[in-house]
């Protein structure tokens, strides 16, 4: 009951409880239980953040980093400031996000692989799966003065994958595909799909459908295109439509072909 929750949160916020200030701020921000007021919401969250409340600090940092909060524009300096405040509490998410800022750059902040690795390693040491994957990417591709090191890349990807990171499974799939270890590549792509990656299923399907490394298997290609298509992968939906239309890997079905083609263009009635 949001109105009832708001009443009690307001009382607690007025008494100076930081968590309550943050919760009331979020409710104003999202318009939950009260009329939306972005400015008031941000003001309360800012107050909680200044009190040292971690969730509020991360909320502001993400808002200025990602620009995903209504009324807040991307601001690299403010993003850095609030992530650094959260960093004082040894927060792994703050360490990861700082690493990503230095990995990719943000506004006037230029990419800096050395700093990226420094912050990502801090998060990785706390078993932050996305940080481990990002370290894998840096050593996979090489960046600035950091040379490509496939041994390190694979090790980081495997650690991230073990923690359930589907992107790491995709990256491992690519490495094994490029090294012609096709069965392991397929295994990695399928695992990525099982973890929620439509791209993982799509990559597996493509290997069965159109690869000079293994014999074409239309039924397996159809199976994995369908899994990817059901998860919303538009290229898989289009290829699935073709397979239904031509009877490849499945019985010919013009109605299903039209459905999947329409779905890929946003015209299907679901």
């Amino acid at each position: 009951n949001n109105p009832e929750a708001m009443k009690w949160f307001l009382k607690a916020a007025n008494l100076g409880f930081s968590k309550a200030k943050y919760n009331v701020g979020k409710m104003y921000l999202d318009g939950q239980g009260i009329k939306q007021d972005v400015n008031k919401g941000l003001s309360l969250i800012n107050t909680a953040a200044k009190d040292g409340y971690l969730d509020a600090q991360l909320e502001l940092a993400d808002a200025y980093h990602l620009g995903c909060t209504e009324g807040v524009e991307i601001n690299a300096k403010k993003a850095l400031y609030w992530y650094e405040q959260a960093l004082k509490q040894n927060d792994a998410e703050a360490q990861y996000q700082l690493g990503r800022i230095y990995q990719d750059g943000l506004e006037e902040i230029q990419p800096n692989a050395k700093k990226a690795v420094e912050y990502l390693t801090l998060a990785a040491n706390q078993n932050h799966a996305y940080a481990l994957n990002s370290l894998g990417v840096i050593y996979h591709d090489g960046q600035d003065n950091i040379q490509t090191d496939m041994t390190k890349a694979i090790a980081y990807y495997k650690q991230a994958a073990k923690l359930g990171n589907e992107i790491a499974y995709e990256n491992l799939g690519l490495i094994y595909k490029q090294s012609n270890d096709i069965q392991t590549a397929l295994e990695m792509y399928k695992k990525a799909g099982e973890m929620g990656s439509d791209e993982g299923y799509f990559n597996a399907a493509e290997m069965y459908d159109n690869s000079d490394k293994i014999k074409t298997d239309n039924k397996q290609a159809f199976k994995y295109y369908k899994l990817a298509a059901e998860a919303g992968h538009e290229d898989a939906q289009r290829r699935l439509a073709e397979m239904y239309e031509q009877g490849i890997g499945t019985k010919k079905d013009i109605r299903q072909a039209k459905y999947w083609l329409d779905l890929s263009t946003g015209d299907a009635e679901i």
Side-chain angles (χ1 to χ4, degrees), residues 111-132:
N112 184 321
K114 184 178 179 180
K115 281 190 174 182
V117 168
E118 177 187 340
Y119 286 117
L120 291 170
T121 299
L122 289 173
N125 288 340
Q126 296 196 64
N127 289 325
H128 193 294
Y130 284 97
L132 286 160

Side-chain angles (χ1 to χ4, degrees), residues 21-22 28-29 54-55 81 130 145 149 162 199 221-222:
K21 293 175 191 175
Y22 169 71
Y28 271 119
L29 209 59
L54 179 61
D55 287 350
Y81 173 80
Y130 284 97
N145 59 339
D149 186 328
K162 189 175 180 179
E199 190 70 21
F222 174 84

